[in-house]
Amino acid sequence: MEEKQSEVKLFGTWASGYCTRVVLALKAKGIPYRYIEEDLKNKSELFLRYNPVHKKVPLLLHNGRPVSESLIILEYIDEYWNHSPKILPDDPYKRAKVRFWADFYDRKLKEGTVAIMTSRGKEKEKAIEGFLELLKVFEEGIAKDFPEKLTFSNSQPLDFLDIIVGSSACNYEAYNEAVAVVVDPKRNPLFFQWMTALKECPLMKESLPPHDKLVAKMKSFQSRSV
Amino acid sequence: MEEVKLLGFWSSPFVYRVKWALKHKDVKYEYLEEDLWNKKSDLLLRSNPVQKRVPVLLHDGKPIAESIVILEYIEEMWPHNPLLPQDPHERAMARYWMKFGEDKAPILLGFYLNFGEEQEKNVKEAKELLKILEKHGLGENKFFGGDEIGLVDFAFGWIACWLEVMEEAVGVKLSEAESLPRLHEWIENFKKVPLIKENTPDRDRMLSFYKQRREQRRESFISSRAS
């Protein structure tokens, strides 16, 4: 493995699953980096200079060149530092499958968790129902395309789907407590099994935000978005 | 022998992205037209059970869905005549703009999909987004891909070949040449590329299709407001 002279900075916020994704990828690859916590209500000059259009976290700054969007940052990390462990599979068809499911997860499920938090009463019930239907679709899809996820052991290196999904779904206990029970072993046994195994990964354990702090943050976000 | 099939719909710009990429790479494929409104084929429903929509690429029977995912697959399977830059940072930028297009599509197409206040709001926001795309995405380049067309040009191909037909069908202008000169230059250059010139749907057919669909949407909108 050749040593690449590089300076890596990551602008993020501690509660954001999207930022945790990048942390996991950098750590998994053994890439040294400097983490900068951004205050989104008071964005730093450096952050805005390199991120004038997007203005969102995470932002990766590598040798002064910015990369935005967590899924894109992960592909960038895997391509630039193409030593093992590989985050995406080598086979183009498998790569297409992980990209499909990552996109589905972000557009349908992650959006769904926000919709639940920002709705009330009947709307909230409908949002939860909708979310659970999509979770079933996701679970069945992963079971078909990536059956090895269902027997995940924490001695395996984390890959694209583990990082994308685990970075937020491993916080299900905080979400269940603060918002609504959406991940439970009876309804989604396979997904639950994957997440509980993933949670025990040393890398995941050290990178996820602390439970109580996250619960408080989620409760506050919910009450602000009436 | 490799077998490549493309399930599509004649007017879909998402399908045309894939057609352009396959043709650019000289990949022989069989095109199968889907009757999306009346009866989707068993092959489509089996190949894309999650989204049940086109385009779907079938390579030796293996299905790939979602146009941007298909474009990346084509680029990886057939790496000659590349459509993405080699440099990882430039690739990340290309992917950023493709994602920008997908994420902002509901707003950009809001002038056609929506009515009343919501439509007005979408039009205003879409004009801003197109300015951002022109300034930061295209910059001073001839194409989004640089001197030659690339995946990002295909992804925004709908702005070149579909937008003005939809604008006419709806009676709303989103993109004026005076306010978006660089983008309009790109539109002219893109449409002149032989691959694109020879592969776009018939304009008259598109116009009557979009007019018809717009009326159907208007009726649904009115009846949903009345109930």
Side-chain angles (χ1 to χ4, degrees):
Chain A
M1 182 185 88
E2 63 165 344
E3 280 297 335
K4 292 191 198 244
Q5 281 289 355
S6 60
E7 195 198 53
V8 181
K9 286 194 178 84
L10 172 63
F11 295 81
T13 52
W14 67 267
S16 159
Y18 299 113
C19 299
T20 308
R21 290 172 180 183
V22 183
V23 168
L24 288 168
L26 290 168
K27 284 183 175 177
K29 293 266 197 185
I31 300 160
Y33 67 99
R34 188 154 80 90
Y35 176 78
I36 298 156
E37 178 75 19
E38 260 311 294
D39 176 1
L40 294 181
K41 292 196 213 82
N42 189 15
K43 292 167 186 168
S44 73
E45 203 204 301
L46 189 65
F47 177 72
L48 290 172
R49 194 195 322 159
Y50 286 106
N51 198 7
V53 174
H54 198 63
K55 301 194 182 81
K56 290 191 196 159
V57 289
L59 172 74
L60 189 81
L61 203 56
H62 179 213
N63 290 337
R65 297 168 95 188
V67 187
S68 298
E69 291 288 353
S70 61
L71 298 184
I72 295 172
I73 295 173
L74 256 51
E75 294 227 25
Y76 174 81
I77 289 171
D78 209 33
E79 279 178 10
Y80 189 88
W81 292 277
N82 56 10
H83 57 261
S84 99
K86 298 302 284 286
I87 296 175
L88 280 98
D90 286 323
D91 172 63
Y93 185 68
K94 288 207 174 89
R95 289 165 76 86
K97 288 269 165 230
V98 300
R99 285 173 177 142
F100 176 88
W101 288 114
D103 183 67
F104 182 91
Y105 182 81
D106 273 5
R107 282 189 205 283
K108 309 280 185 188
L109 291 175
K110 241 182 157 308
E111 294 284 323
T113 58
V114 176
I116 294 170
M117 278 199 273
T118 56
S119 56
R120 299 284 180 273
K122 278 256 168 298
E123 280 294 313
K124 186 172 179 170
E125 279 172 35
K126 239 182 104 193
I128 294 174
E129 218 181 281
F131 175 85
L132 292 174
E133 276 169 30
L134 292 168
L135 184 56
K136 198 105 212 57
V137 171
F138 184 74
E139 190 185 39
E140 284 166 3
I142 297 294
K144 181 165 161 266
D145 291 341
F146 298 98
E148 65 273 18
K149 289 299 164 215
L150 313 174
T151 51
F152 183 86
S153 95
N154 65 38
S155 59
Q156 289 164 228
L158 298 180
D159 68 15
F160 199 64
L161 286 175
D162 298 319
I163 293 173
I164 305 297
V165 183
S167 53
S168 42
C170 281
N171 297 317
Y172 69 84
E173 282 174 333
Y175 193 92
N176 284 358
E177 188 182 319
V179 186
V181 177
V182 293
V183 178
D184 91 62
K186 286 197 206 74
R187 257 188 319 238
N188 303 101
L190 307 175
F191 186 77
F192 185 81
Q193 197 175 306
W194 178 22
M195 289 305 112
T196 41
L198 208 44
K199 248 171 28 124
E200 295 311 307
C201 246
L203 205 53
M204 197 60 86
K205 265 182 150 143
E206 75 182 50
S207 308
L208 291 174
H211 174 90
D212 292 338
K213 215 176 158 192
L214 194 60
V215 170
K217 177 94 179 169
M218 285 180 177
K219 282 185 167 163
S220 136
F221 177 79
Q222 251 195 134
S223 59
R224 278 197 325 265
S225 48
V226 174
Chain B
M1 227 236 359
E2 278 187 349
E3 198 196 44
V4 180
K5 285 193 172 105
L6 172 61
L7 307 183
F9 186 69
W10 70 272
S11 70
S12 164
F14 305 97
V15 171
Y16 269 86
R17 293 170 175 175
V18 178
K19 276 190 183 175
W20 292 329
L22 290 169
K23 285 179 194 281
H24 179 86
K25 307 264 187 180
D26 278 313
V27 175
K28 299 276 171 292
Y29 66 98
E30 186 192 349
Y31 175 76
L32 296 165
E33 176 75 11
E34 283 289 328
D35 186 2
L36 293 180
W37 270 272
N38 295 318
K39 193 176 187 309
K40 293 175 181 174
S41 73
D42 286 334
L43 182 59
L44 175 61
L45 296 174
R46 265 194 338 262
S47 306
N48 189 5
V50 176
Q51 312 276 39
K52 301 184 180 67
R53 62 188 186 194
V54 294
V56 176
L57 190 79
L58 286 139
H59 188 197
D60 290 334
K62 294 185 291 191
I64 300 127
E66 291 301 307
S67 62
I68 304 295
V69 175
I70 297 172
L71 290 179
E72 294 254 20
Y73 177 81
I74 291 171
E75 179 66 5
E76 282 167 10
M77 271 316 297
W78 295 281
H80 60 278
N81 299 351
L83 290 164
L84 276 180
Q86 293 305 306
D87 173 67
H89 186 259
E90 284 176 37
R91 290 162 80 85
M93 289 314 297
R95 287 178 176 136
Y96 177 83
W97 290 109
M98 286 199 282
K99 189 168 200 299
F100 178 89
E102 295 306 273
D103 290 348
K104 307 296 184 193
I107 299 170
L108 292 167
L109 293 170
F111 78 97
Y112 165 78
L113 296 169
N114 298 324
F115 297 86
E117 260 181 57
E118 206 186 342
Q119 184 206 40
E120 280 171 34
K121 212 176 124 212
N122 289 157
V123 169
K124 198 158 167 255
E125 219 186 316
K127 287 179 173 173
E128 290 306 312
L129 292 173
L130 290 175
K131 283 209 169 77
I132 289 172
L133 182 65
E134 183 190 56
K135 181 173 180 203
H136 297 276
L138 186 60
E140 298 301 313
N141 291 329
K142 183 178 183 192
F143 296 110
F144 287 96
D147 294 327
E148 307 286 334
I149 52 171
L151 290 190
V152 185
D153 298 278
F154 292 166
F156 287 112
W158 70 271
I159 291 179
C161 309
W162 274 255
L163 180 57
E164 59 94 11
V165 183
M166 293 168 85
E167 283 172 332
E168 189 180 328
V170 177
V172 164
K173 205 111 180 68
L174 204 66
S175 151
E176 306 278 4
E178 307 86 57
S179 47
L180 295 160
R182 297 277 303 112
L183 194 63
H184 275 259
E185 218 179 303
W186 169 78
I187 289 173
E188 292 314 308
N189 286 328
F190 184 76
K191 289 199 311 199
K192 280 195 194 114
V193 174
L195 168 70
I196 306 301
K197 199 168 167 195
E198 291 154 25
N199 293 286
T200 35
D202 177 70
R203 194 192 184 274
D204 290 338
R205 197 181 172 197
M206 275 207 280
L207 184 60
S208 76
F209 174 75
Y210 286 120
K211 276 183 168 162
Q212 188 189 28
R213 289 289 297 140
R214 177 74 179 164
E215 274 322 296
Q216 284 167 353
R217 296 192 83 92
R218 186 190 306 279
E219 281 161 27
S220 304
F221 173 72
I222 290 170
S223 59
S224 70
R225 288 276 290 263
S227 55

